[in-house]
Amino acid sequence: MDFKQLEGSFSGELFYDNSSLHQAQKMIYATDASVYQEQPLAVALPKNKEDLKALIRFANQNRVSLIPRAAGTSLAGQVVGNGIVVDISKYFKKIIEVNAAERWVRLEPGIVRDDLNALLKPYGLLFAPETSTASRAMIGGMIGNNSCGLHSIVWGDTRQHLLEATVLLSNGEEVVLKYRTNAEILAMAAADTLESQIYRELSALLNDPANASVIRGHYPRKSLKRRNTGYALDMLQDEKEAGGFNLCSLLAGSEGTLAFVIEARLNLLPLPPAKDALVCIHCASLAASLHANNVVLRHRPMASELVDRYIMDFTKGHPVYHQNRFFIEGEPEALLMVEFMEHSDEALDQKTAALIADLKKNGLGYAYPVIKGPQTKLVWDIRKAGLGLIRNMPGDEQPVNLIEDCAVAPEDLPAYIEDLQELLKRYGLQASYYAHAGAGELHVEPMINLKTAAGKETFRNVLKDTVALVKKYNGSLSGEHGDGRLRGEFIASAMGDEVYRLLQQVKHIFDPGNIFNAHKIVNTPRMNEQLRYDAGKQQLPVNTVFDYTRQENILRLTEKCSGSGDCRKSQVTGGTMCPSYMATLQEKDTTRARANILRQFLTRAEKENPFDHPEIKEVMDLCLSCKACKSECPSSVDIAKLKAEFLQHYYDANGVPFRSKLIAGFTKSQRLGIMMPGIYNAVAKNKFASGVIKKLAGFAPERSLPAVGKTTLRSWFEKYRKTVPQQYSRKVFLFCDEFTNYNDVEIGQTTIKLLNALGYGVEIPGHGESGRTWLSKGLVRKAKEIIVTNVKTLSQQVTTEQPLIGIEPSALLTFRDEALDLVPPELYETARSLAGNSLLVEEFLAGEYEAGRIHTAQFTGAKRVVKLHGHCYQKSFGVMPSVQKILSIPSNFYVELIPSGCCGMAGSFGYEKEHYEVSMKVGELVLLPAVRAAAADTIIAASGTSCRHQIKDGAKRHSLHPVEVLWKALK
């Protein structure tokens, strides 16, 4: 297959050869959020419709399948296959027209649902279907799967809101699918085009009385809110009998098998009432929650969603979701989250009170906390994170997407689930149950070990047996996740052979050459083939520097990635994970891709050193080690840790680059520089001299070099303590990190003076550098030596009464993060105790303020506005509330948190020549524009030395560490 022939007419990005970058791209597109894995022949990122037409021509000439892909969160393997994966998520992102008067929007299919609604909000409108992945799910994918989401019992599915679509047919024809009367269809059918042929042959199919009878008799019951099995011929039949039809009814839910969407016109709804409330019904059993659900539906809620004990238990101790448990009382087996929206609190109170009274009357539930306002988001986040949270389950027996999309009428749900539990019991399987109780569709995920031959057979047999249950209740095998290659094999069993033949006929009418997403929905292979694991394959042991026993082993940590794509959020949605993806919009630069490629090599590599692969390096290259994935990923897949581990082993095989040695040895160069600070700083600021240094080091010429202080902080402190003896009633130990000791010396001085002024003595204990620079460049063994020594030294002095206080987040938080995974087992409890007594200065001051030992009266009453940017590690470790709190101690300080993710500097990343552009793109997403827009008298605050450097270089503004802000605010 000559892909060079395609390259000549293709303006986008195309990956197909055997180079490390191209191979890496193909590997990361081999999976989606499903259990399947199959490497594509090529990956294409088209820029425009001409690129898509070129792909269609090439596919027809070479009899290869085009696999449309947006965010890749499909659970049934829709975007996995051995054709050409066509990713529209990077370039097809235009909103073409908003018609507020008629309430519709025209757009390209790569727009993210939540980003779309953020842009529509000023119009007072929204696109209603809301999947739990709405922060990354794109309109193209939502059309493909006919997505529904949390509020489908009120707002319906994507099909109901798809007014028209501009598509490319399998011969490259560009046509508009929209509602047409039977007369218009008859006229169109007379022409000699593929579009005409489609209308002609579909009309003939629907006009056949035998077919009409089969469709009416074998499709799921019409009252089901969610029915997405096969193609929606039943809806097309109803439309035709009413006077005409819209081929969008077939397009929605067709999983990219019929046509390629290039534009869509969507119906919009007015924004819902501003007031909302969640009644969180605590139930002692799953069965009770399902009966409660039917009581709930009598009260016409906006949503009724279920979360079971499995999911709730995985929020315990989670770095983000543990705080979301504030509303949970006791240990419920199941929670129903029931939402009401109204224009007033009075109306909300009436609805919630009526529901609670009805539940009590029926003896259902034991607690009914009502959550209102912004806190409802925290509750919903637990529900939305369910898929990722349950991937924290230990062992190879994991929850699998299998019968998670079967839908029945809500009144049948208790009996159906009881039957399903009996079925699973026969197989000896446990399962998690969650999601759309109000729509009759629970996500049921049995725990199965797919690494064994027996597990693979059980996987298939459970679905096969479930089909009979779904038929018993006249339900739908697929509610919204689609058939793909998971359920396609059993459509004939679920709906009958006659219906299945009609579905095959529909596919052939649209796509006679079978070029669009072949082997999905119809003519699929056995559903337990091409899984992520080869059954029975023995895993090679991997010797690591970090200790992974808390995640079982390094492979298990990579496997925790569910593929749900939480790492594909945009700056519009907010959050920090994953900064490089936000800048590049490349799947290669997601947390998911990094976990995926490591998992694949750790699983299947034949080399003794499984890390010695340039493909891994390609995918890890733009990881900024921001640590956001450790907290924002529901499964806590810590890619920063994995990247450091990978680099150490890659260097073992290939040597350590000069620049990596230079950066890792940062402390040595700064120690030399501060011996002659005047000369060092003059060289760093001189354009020619610094240019030579940057060129030799591989640094970006646009980036300024850091200056050193006039003296080290340690030297200054030895003189200072003689004039200001540190004899205070309470004492703290200050961690004199390498950045503060050599570069940010004045901030260190200010910190000590501030602590003294507030009544705290300071000691700087003897210790080494933090090890952060070594970790950042993957020299983990050296970092381990440094950290073990520090733990041994500091643990002898630091206590709860005399904690260790740090200024630079990345340095201090090493004790709360990497140290725990680097110390030997016999030192673990010591390290854990030290971690518990290691605080950033903002955390310490916030705690003292809360305890009443620091007072607002000690600070100025002047009015000031502070714009605060949070360091990535502060966000990951939940420190930002403390930073905001201390900056708000002065009574008239207004603190506004800039909704930025990573600043883009990320230690040495922003210095490196090949990373400079991405570094600045990350900064320009939110942070730098926000700083430039701030008034001249606004205080810009940032705790991280890298963050302040990025603000200086990118926005030409001086920013202050929070302790500097407080020092200036002291009376």
Side-chain angles (χ1 to χ4, degrees), residues 253-288:
S254 65
E255 303 175 17
T257 62
L258 301 182
F260 209 112
V261 179
I262 56 174
E263 281 182 24
R265 188 163 71 91
L266 305 174
N267 175 59
L268 303 176
L269 297 181
L271 288 173
K275 304 279 187 180
D276 65 333
L278 277 177
V279 182
C280 299
I281 305 164
H282 291 51
C283 297
S285 69
L286 178 64

Coordinates of all heavy atoms in Angstrom, one line a residue, residues 253-288:
G253 N -25.9 7.3 15.9 CA -25.8 5.9 16.4 C -25.2 5.0 15.4 O -25.1 3.8 15.7
S254 N -24.8 5.5 14.2 CA -24.2 4.6 13.2 C -22.7 4.3 13.3 O -22.1 3.6 12.6 CB -24.5 5.2 11.8 OG -23.8 6.4 11.6
E255 N -22.1 5.0 14.3 CA -20.7 4.7 14.7 C -19.7 4.9 13.5 O -18.7 4.2 13.4 CB -20.6 3.3 15.3 CG -21.5 3.1 16.5 CD -21.5 1.7 17.1 OE1 -20.6 1.0 16.8 OE2 -22.5 1.4 17.8
G256 N -20.0 5.9 12.6 CA -19.1 6.2 11.5 C -19.1 5.1 10.5 O -18.1 5.1 9.6
T257 N -20.1 4.3 10.4 CA -20.1 3.2 9.4 C -20.8 3.5 8.1 O -20.8 2.8 7.2 CB -20.7 1.9 10.0 OG1 -22.1 2.2 10.3 CG2 -20.0 1.4 11.3
L258 N -21.5 4.7 8.1 CA -22.4 5.0 7.0 C -21.9 6.2 6.2 O -22.0 6.2 4.9 CB -23.8 5.3 7.4 CG -24.5 4.1 8.1 CD1 -26.0 4.6 8.5 CD2 -24.5 2.8 7.3
A259 N -21.3 7.2 6.8 CA -20.9 8.4 6.2 C -19.9 9.1 7.1 O -19.9 8.8 8.3 CB -22.1 9.3 5.8
F260 N -19.2 10.1 6.6 CA -18.2 10.9 7.4 C -18.8 12.3 7.6 O -19.0 13.0 6.6 CB -16.9 10.9 6.7 CG -15.7 11.1 7.6 CD1 -14.8 10.0 7.8 CD2 -15.6 12.2 8.4 CE1 -13.8 10.1 8.6 CE2 -14.5 12.3 9.3 CZ -13.6 11.3 9.4
V261 N -19.0 12.6 8.8 CA -19.6 13.9 9.2 C -18.6 15.0 9.1 O -17.5 14.9 9.7 CB -20.2 13.9 10.6 CG1 -20.8 15.3 10.9 CG2 -21.3 12.8 10.7
I262 N -18.9 16.1 8.3 CA -18.0 17.2 8.3 C -18.6 18.5 8.9 O -17.9 19.4 9.3 CB -17.4 17.5 6.9 CG1 -18.6 17.8 5.9 CG2 -16.6 16.4 6.4 CD1 -18.1 18.2 4.5
E263 N -19.9 18.5 9.0 CA -20.6 19.6 9.7 C -21.9 19.1 10.3 O -22.5 18.1 9.8 CB -21.0 20.8 8.7 CG -19.9 21.7 8.3 CD -20.4 22.8 7.4 OE1 -21.6 23.1 7.4 OE2 -19.5 23.4 6.7
A264 N -22.4 19.7 11.3 CA -23.7 19.4 11.9 C -24.4 20.6 12.3 O -23.8 21.6 12.7 CB -23.5 18.4 13.1
R265 N -25.7 20.6 12.2 CA -26.6 21.6 12.7 C -27.4 21.0 13.8 O -28.1 20.1 13.7 CB -27.5 22.2 11.6 CG -28.3 23.5 12.1 CD -28.8 24.3 10.9 NE -30.0 23.6 10.3 CZ -31.2 23.7 10.7 NH1 -31.6 24.5 11.6 NH2 -32.2 23.1 10.0
L266 N -27.2 21.6 15.0 CA -27.8 21.1 16.2 C -28.9 21.9 16.8 O -28.8 23.2 16.9 CB -26.7 20.9 17.3 CG -25.5 20.1 16.9 CD1 -24.5 20.1 18.0 CD2 -25.9 18.6 16.6
N267 N -29.9 21.3 17.3 CA -31.0 22.0 18.1 C -30.4 22.4 19.4 O -29.7 21.7 20.1 CB -32.2 21.1 18.2 CG -33.2 21.7 19.1 OD1 -33.8 22.8 18.8 ND2 -33.6 21.0 20.2
L268 N -30.8 23.6 19.9 CA -30.4 24.1 21.2 C -31.6 24.3 22.1 O -32.7 24.6 21.6 CB -29.6 25.4 21.1 CG -28.3 25.3 20.2 CD1 -27.7 26.7 20.0 CD2 -27.3 24.3 20.7
L269 N -31.3 24.2 23.4 CA -32.4 24.5 24.4 C -32.0 25.7 25.2 O -30.8 26.0 25.4 CB -32.5 23.3 25.3 CG -33.0 21.9 24.7 CD1 -33.1 20.9 25.8 CD2 -34.3 22.1 24.0
P270 N -33.0 26.4 25.8 CA -32.7 27.4 26.8 C -32.0 26.9 28.0 O -32.2 25.7 28.3 CB -34.1 28.0 27.2 CG -35.0 27.5 26.2 CD -34.5 26.2 25.6
L271 N -31.1 27.7 28.6 CA -30.4 27.3 29.8 C -31.5 26.8 30.8 O -32.5 27.5 31.0 CB -29.6 28.4 30.3 CG -28.3 28.7 29.5 CD1 -27.6 29.9 30.1 CD2 -27.3 27.5 29.5
P272 N -31.2 25.8 31.6 CA -32.1 25.4 32.6 C -32.2 26.4 33.8 O -31.3 27.3 33.8 CB -31.5 24.1 33.1 CG -30.1 24.2 32.8 CD -29.9 25.0 31.6
P273 N -33.1 26.3 34.7 CA -33.2 27.2 35.8 C -31.9 27.2 36.6 O -31.2 26.2 36.7 CB -34.4 26.6 36.6 CG -35.2 25.8 35.7 CD -34.3 25.3 34.6
A274 N -31.6 28.3 37.1 CA -30.3 28.5 37.8 C -30.2 27.8 39.1 O -29.1 27.4 39.6 CB -30.0 30.0 38.0
K275 N -31.3 27.5 39.7 CA -31.3 26.8 41.0 C -31.4 25.3 40.9 O -32.2 24.8 40.1 CB -32.5 27.3 41.9 CG -32.6 28.8 42.1 CD -31.7 29.2 43.2 CE -31.9 30.7 43.5 NZ -31.0 31.2 44.6
D276 N -30.5 24.6 41.5 CA -30.6 23.2 41.5 C -30.3 22.5 42.8 O -29.7 23.1 43.7 CB -29.6 22.6 40.4 CG -28.1 22.8 40.8 OD1 -27.8 23.8 41.5 OD2 -27.3 22.1 40.4
A277 N -30.8 21.3 43.0 CA -30.6 20.6 44.2 C -30.5 19.1 43.9 O -31.2 18.6 43.0 CB -31.8 20.9 45.2
L278 N -29.7 18.4 44.7 CA -29.5 17.0 44.6 C -30.0 16.4 45.9 O -29.5 16.7 47.0 CB -28.1 16.6 44.4 CG -27.5 16.7 43.0 CD1 -26.0 16.3 43.0 CD2 -28.2 15.7 42.1
V279 N -30.9 15.4 45.7 CA -31.3 14.6 46.9 C -30.5 13.3 46.8 O -30.6 12.6 45.8 CB -32.8 14.3 46.9 CG1 -33.2 13.4 48.1 CG2 -33.7 15.5 46.8
C280 N -29.7 13.1 47.8 CA -28.8 11.9 47.7 C -29.4 10.8 48.6 O -29.2 10.8 49.8 CB -27.4 12.3 48.2 SG -26.6 13.6 47.1
I281 N -30.0 9.9 48.0 CA -30.8 8.9 48.7 C -29.9 7.7 49.0 O -29.3 7.0 48.2 CB -32.0 8.4 47.8 CG1 -32.8 9.5 47.4 CG2 -32.8 7.3 48.6 CD1 -33.8 9.2 46.2
H282 N -29.6 7.5 50.3 CA -28.8 6.4 50.8 C -29.6 5.2 51.0 O -30.6 5.2 51.7 CB -28.2 6.8 52.2 CG -27.2 7.9 52.1 ND1 -27.4 9.1 51.5 CD2 -25.9 8.0 52.6 CE1 -26.3 9.9 51.6 NE2 -25.4 9.3 52.3
C283 N -29.2 4.1 50.4 CA -29.9 2.8 50.4 C -29.0 1.7 51.0 O -27.8 1.7 50.7 CB -30.5 2.4 49.1 SG -31.6 3.6 48.4
A284 N -29.6 0.8 51.7 CA -28.9 -0.3 52.4 C -28.7 -1.4 51.4 O -27.9 -2.3 51.7 CB -29.7 -0.8 53.6
S285 N -29.3 -1.4 50.2 CA -29.1 -2.4 49.2 C -29.3 -1.9 47.8 O -30.0 -0.8 47.7 CB -30.1 -3.6 49.4 OG -31.4 -3.2 49.1
L286 N -28.8 -2.5 46.9 CA -28.9 -2.1 45.5 C -30.4 -2.2 45.1 O -31.0 -1.3 44.4 CB -28.1 -3.0 44.6 CG -28.2 -2.7 43.1 CD1 -27.7 -1.3 42.7 CD2 -27.4 -3.8 42.3
A287 N -31.0 -3.3 45.5 CA -32.5 -3.5 45.2 C -33.3 -2.4 45.7 O -34.2 -1.9 45.0 CB -32.9 -4.9 45.7
A288 N -33.1 -1.9 46.9 CA -33.8 -0.8 47.5 C -33.7 0.4 46.6 O -34.6 1.2 46.4 CB -33.4 -0.6 48.9

